[in-house]
């Protein structure tokens, strides 16, 4: 699946240093302000002959609004005339203003090619694209910034003049297993800027990868918008037959949606529909021939349909490729005149996640969000003591459950005789009064055959929690939603947000932690570009709610280990340290 893997190195020197924090923050503020102003002016240009027409980012919500199912208490959008009134009506249910919705539109906006792409040779070539280090100096002080510029070129070695490429960048040094994430800023003219913080003493190099060309991103976007049923599921019906026999049928199932290819399952009386009255979402399966709709017992992954055209396949082959650039060794020194870079702020809900959110040195993550700790087995047990921990999400969240079961000797996992991939799973420590739970986030879920009754929506689970000072709720939502339209995912996330707000109102001392999406997939069914879009929606929805957001995107994007949707033990241990620092802040 992965055409090339980077092993991200690191720096010499064991100093855990210091950065001129205020000066750096001011520099970042003004840089960000300038970029914001530039972005406001560098709007999308649509070329029509020799004329250019400006238009704002598309409204992804109103494009597909008919797809949502509504509970009887919800306002039907079909009765509203304008896009603005539709959005206002829908988002008022979740306490989202039009201004907030506008910010969401900007968050998920992605630049497109400004011309018709008639040949694969017009797309971004990883072999010809390069990066340079701006104003490279002989040495730097710890905490300074390094600026890199990426210049995109096509397969004819011609400079590109529009944006939309998806790059990932990091600063690293392999000898000390050090690395830090760099955020790539699209300048919308074929060039990209990457600022790097220099957070460790020693040496470092820059590495940049082309994850997808701007043309490949359009392939991903088109298939998300028109081909959401390329991942499908099975529904298993069982019931009594004649002469004390048992009947069984397996049919195809998916999300009910009126667009994006999901309408192809059929119309009229084609299907059994299962509406959840609390979330307003509807799951539907093809109607079985000999059993009633009430006989649905099991769910599983069905399969994948790759509908890429030959031309689209060509665009997608240039995926996850390293690009050439300045391999200079950056030398970073410690100076006593600098202020310490150590973060002293106590971990608490609602803290902003900076870029970078932290860095690795000797395989240990130092967070820039708040003052985190490193937990031994004893400290882990002490932190979890007298707590009810509820984890909900996908298999990357299950990795955390598995870590605790192995790391805490007194935690005993019970056998609930369920499908392990989807749960529910439980482990208990009677002596220390710990109960640890994990369950999948509900359908859509790519899993082995599992009982439908065991698949619960996260928002419903949160609604059923009393909460309190001994309750910790942790969830994530991402990889199983990559093929679906953004508004479907937004609807799911906002339902969870509503449940979280209600829980915090009745039990404000409940600890709630959200794990962001991590990197890993690079194909038409689960690309990092899809995941990045979902990640931005998730952060947007919870930025002002007063919860902990645990950023694993940067932690997985910059580490040297082989890319995998399921991170390796080193990354998981660092994630757990942050999780426990949030749970038991010092």
């Amino acid at each position: 699946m992965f055409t090339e893997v980077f092993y991200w190195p690191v720096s010499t020197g064991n100093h855990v240093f210091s950065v001129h924090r205020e000066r750096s923050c001011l520099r970042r503020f003004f840089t960000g302000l300038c970029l914001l102003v530039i972005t406001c002016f560098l709007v999308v240009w649509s070329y029509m002959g020799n004329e250019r027409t400006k238009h704002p980012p598309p409204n992804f919500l109103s494009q597909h609004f008919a797809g949502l199912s509504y509970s009887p208490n919800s306002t039907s959008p079909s009765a509203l005339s304008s896009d603005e009134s539709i959005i206002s009506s829908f988002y008022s249910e979740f306490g989202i203003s039009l201004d907030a919705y506008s910010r969401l539109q900007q968050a998920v906006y992605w630049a497109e090619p400004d011309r018709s792409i008639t040949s694969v040779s017009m797309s971004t070539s990883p072999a010809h694209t390069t990066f340079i280090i701006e104003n490279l100096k002989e040495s730097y002080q710890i905490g300074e910034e390094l600026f890199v510029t990426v210049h995109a070129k096509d397969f004819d070695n011609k400079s590109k003049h529009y944006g939309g490429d998806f790059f990932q960048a990091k600063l690293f040094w392999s000898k000390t297993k050090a690395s830090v994430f760099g955020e790539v800023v699209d300048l919308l003219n074929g060039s990209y800027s990457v600022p790097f913080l220099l957070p460790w003493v020693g040496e470092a190099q820059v590495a940049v990868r082309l994850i997808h060309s701007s043309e490949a991103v359009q392939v991903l976007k088109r298939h998300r918008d028109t081909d959401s049923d390329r991942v499908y599921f099975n529904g298993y019906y069982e019931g009594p037959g004649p002469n004390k026999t048992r009947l069984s049928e397996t049919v195809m199932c998916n999300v009910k949606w009126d667009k994006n290819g999901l309408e192809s399952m059929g119309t009229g009386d084609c299907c059994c529909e299962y509406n959840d009255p609390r979330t307003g979402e509807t799951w539907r399966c093809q109607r079985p021939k000999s059993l009633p709709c009430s006989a649905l017992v099991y769910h599983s992954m069905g399969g994948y349909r790759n509908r890429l055209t030959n031309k689209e396949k060509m665009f997608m082959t240039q995926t996850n490729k390293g690009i050439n650039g300045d391999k200079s060794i950056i030398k970073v020194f410690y100076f006593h005149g600098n202020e310490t870079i150590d973060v002293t702020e106590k971990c608490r809900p609602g803290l902003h996640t900076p870029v970078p959110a932290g860095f690795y040195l000797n395989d240990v993550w130092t967070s820039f969000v708040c003052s985190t700790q490193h937990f031994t087995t004893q400290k882990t047990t002490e932190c979890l003591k007298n707590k009810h921990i509820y984890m909900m999400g996908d298999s990357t969240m299950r990795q955390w459950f598995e870590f605790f079961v192995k790391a805490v000797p007194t935690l005993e996992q019970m056998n609930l005789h369920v499908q392990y991939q989807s749960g529910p799973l439980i482990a208990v420590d009677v002596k220390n009064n710990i109960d640890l739970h994990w369950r999948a986030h509900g359908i859509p879920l790519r899993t082995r055959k599992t009982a439908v009754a065991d698949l619960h929506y996260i928002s419903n689970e949160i609604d059923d929690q009393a909460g309190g000072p001994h309750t910790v709720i942790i969830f994530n939502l991402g990889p199983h939603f990559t093929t679906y339209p953004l508004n479907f995912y937004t609807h799911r996330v906002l339902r969870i947000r509503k449940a979280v707000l209600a829980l915090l109102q009745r039990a404000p001392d409940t600890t709630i932690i959200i794990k962001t999406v991590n990197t890993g997939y690079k194909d038409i069914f689960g690309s990092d570009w899809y995941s990045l879009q979902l990640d931005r929606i998730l952060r947007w929805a919870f930025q002002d709610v007063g919860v902990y957001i645990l950023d694993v995107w940067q932690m997985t994007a910059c580490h040297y280990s082989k890319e995998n949707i399921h991170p390796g033990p080193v990354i998981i241990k660092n994630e757990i340290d942050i999780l426990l620092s949030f749970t038991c802040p010092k």
Side-chain angles (χ1 to χ4, degrees):
M1 177 185 296
F2 306 117
T3 54
E4 185 169 332
V5 175
F6 276 73
Y7 293 89
W8 310 101
V10 201
S11 151
T12 59
N14 295 320
H15 298 81
V16 179
F17 39 167
S18 150
V19 171
H20 199 301
R21 198 79 179 159
E22 287 83 4
R23 188 166 56 201
S24 177
C25 289
L26 284 171
R27 186 163 55 245
R28 288 168 184 274
F29 171 78
F30 286 114
T31 300
L33 183 62
C34 291
L35 287 171
L36 178 62
V37 173
I38 292 170
T39 304
C40 290
F41 285 98
L42 291 174
V43 293
V44 191
W45 293 93
S46 174
Y47 283 76
M48 303 177 65
N50 293 323
E51 297 181 357
R52 298 185 295 179
T53 306
K54 289 190 287 186
H55 51 92
N59 184 330
F60 70 79
L61 179 66
S62 62
Q63 289 173 354
H64 310 292
F65 219 102
L68 285 174
S69 299
Y70 282 81
S71 63
N73 296 327
S74 298
T75 304
S76 171
S78 60
L80 304 172
S81 56
S82 69
D83 284 350
E84 186 170 296
S85 58
I86 289 173
I87 297 164
S88 177
S89 174
F90 175 66
Y91 279 92
S92 64
E93 179 184 355
F94 301 108
I96 302 296
S97 67
L98 286 174
D99 286 343
Y101 174 71
S102 178
R103 290 194 294 273
L104 171 61
Q105 292 291 96
Q106 294 296 331
V108 298
Y109 169 69
W110 200 270
E112 301 179 358
D114 61 7
R115 64 206 67 190
S116 176
I117 306 301
T118 58
S119 168
V120 175
S121 66
M122 298 173 66
S123 64
T124 305
S125 165
H128 293 105
T129 297
T130 59
F131 68 86
I132 60 171
I133 300 173
E134 300 288 352
N135 303 314
L136 179 64
K137 300 192 297 186
E138 289 187 4
S139 65
Y140 293 82
Q141 294 184 31
I142 190 172
E144 281 194 85
E145 285 186 312
L146 184 80
F147 292 91
V148 170
T149 301
V150 180
H151 296 290
K153 293 186 177 182
D154 64 19
F155 281 84
D156 294 324
N157 203 25
K158 296 178 181 177
S159 295
K160 297 186 71 177
H161 299 288
Y162 55 86
D165 295 307
F166 180 29
F167 293 99
Q168 286 182 5
K170 70 178 183 179
L171 197 69
F172 72 95
W173 191 247
S174 55
K175 291 181 181 179
T176 51
K177 298 180 180 178
S179 55
V180 66
F181 176 82
E183 186 170 38
V184 180
V185 179
D186 190 346
L187 302 180
L188 305 180
N189 60 2
S191 293
Y192 302 78
S193 177
V194 192
F196 286 106
L197 178 70
L198 301 174
W200 64 81
V201 169
E203 297 172 315
Q205 286 182 298
V206 175
V208 181
R209 286 177 294 164
L210 176 66
I211 306 300
H212 297 299
S213 68
S214 53
E215 294 75 20
V217 168
Q218 294 310 302
V219 172
L220 294 169
K221 188 175 180 181
R222 187 181 78 81
H223 282 270
R224 184 183 64 194
D225 292 344
T226 63
D227 191 20
S228 287
D229 68 334
R230 64 188 181 280
V231 171
Y232 62 94
F233 304 87
N234 288 336
Y236 301 84
Y237 289 78
E238 295 185 3
N243 302 319
K244 298 183 179 180
T245 60
R246 293 284 294 177
L247 298 177
S248 63
E249 290 187 50
T250 303
V251 302
M252 188 169 63
C253 305
N254 219 319
V255 171
K256 183 184 179 183
W257 207 256
D258 293 340
K259 293 180 182 293
N260 300 79
L262 292 166
E263 72 280 5
S264 63
M265 191 177 292
T267 57
D269 202 33
C270 71
C271 303
C272 297
E273 296 191 352
Y274 304 93
N275 176 259
D276 182 82
R278 289 199 278 179
T279 65
E281 291 190 23
T282 300
W283 186 256
R284 67 175 180 172
C285 300
Q286 291 175 335
R287 188 177 295 275
K289 295 178 181 178
S290 56
L291 289 168
C293 290
S294 59
L296 178 62
V297 181
Y298 298 104
H299 163 90
S300 81
M301 175 66 189
Y304 296 91
R305 303 182 179 102
N306 191 333
R307 296 174 176 141
L308 290 174
T309 66
N310 289 333
K311 183 179 178 181
E312 288 175 333
K313 289 177 182 177
M314 293 287 288
F315 286 131
M316 294 297 294
T317 57
Q318 302 301 319
T319 291
N320 199 23
K321 302 283 191 180
I323 67 171
N324 297 317
D326 193 333
K327 303 300 183 183
S328 298
I329 296 175
I330 297 107
K331 298 183 182 298
V332 185
F333 294 95
Y334 175 81
F335 289 94
H336 293 288
N338 282 351
E339 297 176 10
T340 176
I341 198 174
D342 294 340
V343 177
T344 58
E345 184 165 13
K346 182 179 179 179
C347 295
R348 56 181 173 79
L351 288 177
H352 171 68
T353 301
V355 179
F359 69 100
Y360 288 104
L361 181 63
N362 297 316
D363 264 347
V364 175
W365 181 264
T366 296
S367 174
F368 291 148
V369 176
C370 59
S371 179
T372 55
Q373 311 162 60
H374 301 294
F375 286 77
T376 62
T377 296
Q378 181 180 350
K379 284 184 64 178
T380 298
T381 304
E382 291 172 356
C383 177
L384 298 182
K385 189 173 182 178
N386 292 318
K387 287 188 174 60
H388 316 293
I389 303 103
Y390 297 91
M391 298 180 175
M392 296 166 280
D394 56 40
S395 54
T396 64
M397 178 69 72
R398 192 179 66 229
Q399 287 183 276
W400 289 5
F401 176 91
E402 294 165 345
F403 177 91
F404 284 124
V405 171
K406 292 179 180 178
V408 181
T410 49
L411 262 178
E412 293 287 341
Q413 185 173 347
M414 298 178 65
N415 184 357
L416 300 183
H417 305 286
V418 297
Q419 170 54 250
Y420 183 82
Q421 271 199 337
S422 52
L425 309 178
I426 183 171
V428 296
D429 178 348
V430 176
K431 178 182 177 181
N432 292 295
N433 194 30
I434 302 168
D435 54 279
L436 178 68
H437 308 256
W438 174 85
R439 73 182 317 135
H441 53 53
I443 48 181
L445 185 72
R446 306 175 197 176
T447 185
R448 294 174 185 154
K449 188 176 180 180
T450 188
V452 171
D454 287 333
L455 300 176
H456 299 178
Y457 291 108
I458 291 177
S459 56
N460 291 348
E461 285 289 300
I462 294 174
D463 280 338
D464 293 337
Q465 291 291 330
H470 300 289
T471 300
V472 181
I473 292 176
I474 312 162
F475 66 87
N476 80 315
L477 203 66
H480 295 259
F481 294 81
T482 51
T483 56
Y484 292 100
L486 292 183
N487 45 329
F488 171 74
Y489 180 77
T490 304
H491 179 266
R492 175 70 64 93
V493 167
L494 288 180
R495 285 288 179 189
I496 298 171
R497 180 182 185 272
K498 186 176 182 181
V500 166
L501 286 170
L503 174 58
L504 291 176
Q505 186 172 24
R506 64 180 178 268
D509 45 6
T510 305
T511 299
I512 299 176
I513 301 169
I514 301 172
K515 172 184 173 291
T516 68
V517 180
N518 58 258
T519 60
Y521 289 137
K522 303 290 188 291
D523 59 31
I524 191 65
F525 302 107
S527 162
D528 278 354
W529 182 78
Y530 287 142
S531 296
L532 178 61
Q533 295 261 290
L534 302 185
D535 188 63
R536 289 177 174 180
I537 294 172
L538 188 68
R539 293 172 193 266
W540 163 84
F542 287 96
Q543 62 186 342
D544 59 346
V545 173
V547 299
Y548 290 100
I549 296 181
L550 203 166
D551 185 305
V552 299
W553 180 269
Q554 297 185 42
M555 296 178 75
T556 52
C558 75
H559 196 259
Y560 63 82
S561 60
K562 184 177 180 179
E563 290 180 292
N564 194 319
I565 192 66
H566 299 111
V570 170
I571 297 176
I572 294 296
K573 174 59 171 74
N574 282 286
E575 292 175 353
I576 292 294
D577 280 344
I578 300 174
L579 171 67
L580 293 174
S581 297
F582 289 170
T583 305
C584 304
K586 64 179 179 180

